[in-house]
Amino acid sequence: MIPKPFRHDYERLRAIEHEYQLELVAENARQLVQFYATIVRAQASQASQTLRNIDVMVNGRETAGEFLGNLATDIDSLVDGMDRFPVDNFQPLEFAQHTILPIASDPSASLQDTLATEFERLARQLLRQQKALVKVHDKMRGMYEAQTQVRRAESSRWLVSGMRRLGRDREEDFQDALRILRDLVLTPQGMQDYVAWFEIGWLLWKHERNLPESEEAFYRAQRLSASKGDAFYVKSLRHLAYVQHLQGRYPEAYETIQKALAASDEHDTRFDAARYAASRGFSEECLRLLEQCIYDRPTTIISMFAEVDFLRGAAAARLARAMADMAARMLDEARDRADDNVEHWQRALEIVREVEREAGLPIALPKGIAEEALGDTPALDDVDYLVALEIERKALAYGDQTVTFARDTVLQVEAARASEQSKVSLALHDLDQNQNRAIIEAEEDRRERLANLKTLSRYIRGAGRWVNVLLFAGAMTVDIHFVPYVEKLIGPSQAPASGPDLNKILLYSYIGFAWPIFFYLIYITAVIIDSCFNVFRRQKTEAEWADAVSAQVDIYEEQANELRARLSDLENERARIQRALQRLEHI
């Protein structure tokens, strides 16, 4: 039931057909990305055409049947995005058949992100495998003597050279490599070189088209590498199973691939096992392995319909129906997951906008994750499997990025508000300290001014000798002013017959001893008068101090009230921000 147009070409699209060649000649991941993109595009084209050709053969007419025609239409939907793959001007099958060609630009730039990610992952995996194989190859070459090592290196050089060239050059290079390898495995060391046996098997298969001898070489390679269990062991088993399968020995191929599965469950081994299970009629096992392959590598949903081993034989229609059912189920599951993730994204946007309103914070989301990007998401009922996976991945990532971006924005604002709150609290504390210090300084100034009021007694005690002279002069003036009154009081002078004149003595005594009394009377009067003036001066000082303190208090209260109001606003804003963060944490 293999459609004739694909009887020869379909083998070129199998991974095992190019695997070892890619591992030896690949120079960088970009080359591998374009190679995988080209292969998958070719598989997509063949998948659709193969299904339609089988439908024609099953229904015996040129119009699409009820089942397989619809299946082909579904496949067209599944692989619709593949038509947009950039593969330059290379013919897909020719490109896949021969070698990696130079790449002028990065072909992954315009690929769907899901496929670009998958191809890049495959490229990195193959480059890691390349390093592992080179390590084993170098170790095996170390078994030889120095002169023989040169021959072993020469065989590798011709093998890689042939892989990179076409036409007669390739044939000659492969012939030289095979000749040297055959000579080497005749030596005692070469007989144990399972890498050499593998390469002999590969050349007999790809160059000589000698499947029986190729099978024998691969058998020796897997037997000799079994104790090591390295990458060449699994590779030898897979190639052994493949050449057995190509010879139509399906039971043996199935048994061989089981050994490979026991050693490695990576995608290509499982896919090969699914093909051989289908050849044996083990449909359930085939479907189970294919489903695992699809989860591991989404493009398997395309390549499995390009593989004719699943679509030939008496049970082809039944297996095709089961594969279609599985593909439809996985497509529905992918769309459901995508729908859930789109809802997650939408809910994240809604909560972010609610948070924006409640917290009073503008959250300017990047265009790639904002509402406009959500609105550009295609309807999930119309997308294929790969696009559904892309939407599933992007919607989940964008929803998480929306929440993360909003959370980071809110945290930045919260940190800024916390910093500002700390500064305002510190400013209020400094204001209180300055106010207390200003009041203390004003009080000290008041006491100092009151203590240093200029009084008469302080002036006299200081540099007031001229005041003393004035007081003395005033006292003498008063004293002399009252002399007539004293003379009148004591009477006129009477000169006694003998002895002193008592009246004159009294008068002179008054003149001599009354002036201090008048001095202190004048001084006391001046002090009393000065004290009365001091009361007014003290009251004036107290009033000036009170006015200064009142003005300082008014300024303080104004500034303190502004700071307290800002502090209260910041506390309220931070409380709203904390509630916003709690909302974002529960998305």
Side-chain angles (χ1 to χ4, degrees), residues 158-170:
W158 287 120
L159 177 63
V160 173
S161 175
M163 289 177 173
R164 287 175 173 166
R165 300 206 282 184
L166 300 174
R168 183 176 177 181
D169 291 337
R170 164 178 283 189

Side-chain angles (χ1 to χ4, degrees), residues 58-287:
V58 169
N59 293 280
R61 51 191 174 86
E62 293 297 326
T63 58
E66 178 181 357
F67 166 64
L68 288 176
N70 293 335
L71 178 58
T73 302
D74 292 340
I75 295 302
D76 284 342
S77 175
L78 286 172
V79 302
D80 177 65
M82 303 299 296
D83 292 337
R84 297 189 293 272
F85 281 9
V87 290
D88 299 335
N89 295 321
F90 303 133
Q91 293 296 323
L93 293 180
E94 180 182 355
F95 178 73
Q97 180 187 13
H98 295 303
T99 185
I100 298 177
L101 301 180
I103 298 176
S105 61
D106 185 356
S108 65
S110 59
L111 293 177
Q112 297 175 24
D113 289 345
T114 296
L115 293 166
T117 301
E118 178 178 330
F119 295 153
E120 289 168 3
R121 178 172 61 87
L122 292 176
R124 290 192 297 269
Q125 178 181 338
L126 192 140
L127 290 175
R128 288 194 300 269
Q129 181 77 354
Q130 182 186 66
K131 293 180 180 179
L133 295 179
V134 169
K135 184 176 180 180
V136 175
H137 193 282
D138 292 342
K139 182 177 179 181
M140 298 302 298
R141 188 167 58 186
M143 299 188 312
Y144 297 97
E145 297 176 355
Q147 185 176 359
T148 311
Q149 286 184 14
V150 174
R151 294 284 289 163
R152 186 67 181 91
E154 187 179 0
S155 69
S156 297
R157 181 172 63 85
W158 287 120
L159 177 63
V160 173
S161 175
M163 289 177 173
R164 287 175 173 166
R165 300 206 282 184
L166 300 174
R168 183 176 177 181
D169 291 337
R170 164 178 283 189
E171 297 299 320
E172 294 290 342
D173 290 347
F174 281 168
Q175 189 65 39
D176 289 342
L178 184 58
R179 175 176 49 80
I180 296 172
L181 288 170
R182 278 175 161 164
D183 290 342
L184 287 173
V185 295
L186 295 178
T187 65
Q189 297 89 359
M191 292 180 65
Q192 304 300 316
D193 187 353
Y194 53 82
V195 176
W197 282 111
F198 176 86
E199 290 179 343
I200 289 174
W202 191 89
L203 287 167
L204 288 170
W205 162 47
K206 299 294 285 187
H207 171 58
E208 297 284 343
R209 306 293 190 270
N210 189 334
L211 296 181
E213 290 189 18
S214 173
E215 178 185 356
E216 180 64 24
F218 284 137
Y219 172 79
R220 291 199 179 193
Q222 66 85 26
R223 182 178 64 83
L224 293 172
S225 60
S227 60
K228 304 292 184 181
D230 56 26
F232 270 101
Y233 174 64
V234 176
K235 193 172 296 294
S236 298
L237 285 171
R238 288 186 56 224
H239 283 74
L240 174 60
Y242 189 52
V243 295
Q244 289 171 340
H245 178 80
L246 291 177
Q247 295 176 81
R249 304 218 308 274
Y250 303 135
E252 296 177 47
Y254 178 81
E255 294 298 328
T256 301
I257 203 62
Q258 297 306 309
K259 296 179 183 179
L261 272 179
S264 171
D265 63 347
E266 54 89 24
H267 172 274
D268 290 337
T269 305
R270 285 201 304 262
F271 191 80
D272 287 346
R275 289 197 299 107
Y276 305 150
S279 298
R280 295 297 311 280
F282 302 152
S283 298
E284 292 184 3
E285 181 180 354
C286 172
L287 292 170

Side-chain angles (χ1 to χ4, degrees), residues 491-532:
S493 173
Q494 297 177 1
S498 62
D501 187 349
L502 184 59
N503 291 343
K504 285 187 177 181
I505 292 173
L506 291 172
L507 178 62
Y508 292 149
S509 297
Y510 163 76
I511 294 172
F513 294 101
W515 71 267
I517 296 173
F518 290 121
F519 181 91
Y520 283 106
L521 286 174
I522 293 172
Y523 173 75
I524 291 171
T525 302
V527 169
I528 292 172
I529 294 171
D530 183 62
S531 298
C532 292

Side-chain angles (χ1 to χ4, degrees), residues 288-356:
R288 175 179 57 80
L289 291 168
L290 284 176
E291 185 170 1
Q292 294 173 358
C293 289
I294 294 171
Y295 283 126
D296 181 49
R297 191 180 299 176
T299 50
T300 306
I301 205 167
I302 295 171
S303 57
M304 70 181 186
F305 287 109
E307 176 51 66
V308 296
D309 283 343
F310 299 135
L311 302 170
R312 64 180 172 183
R318 185 168 60 253
L319 182 57
R321 180 185 296 275
M323 290 169 59
D325 290 341
M326 180 179 66
R329 172 176 57 81
M330 297 185 75
L331 175 59
D332 289 340
E333 292 173 355
R335 287 173 174 173
D336 290 341
R337 292 193 304 270
D339 186 60
D340 292 340
N341 290 348
V342 168
E343 289 183 2
H344 163 71
W345 182 13
Q346 183 176 7
R347 180 58 180 159
L349 288 170
E350 291 174 353
I351 291 181
V352 166
R353 295 314 176 197
E354 291 174 5
V355 165
E356 188 177 40

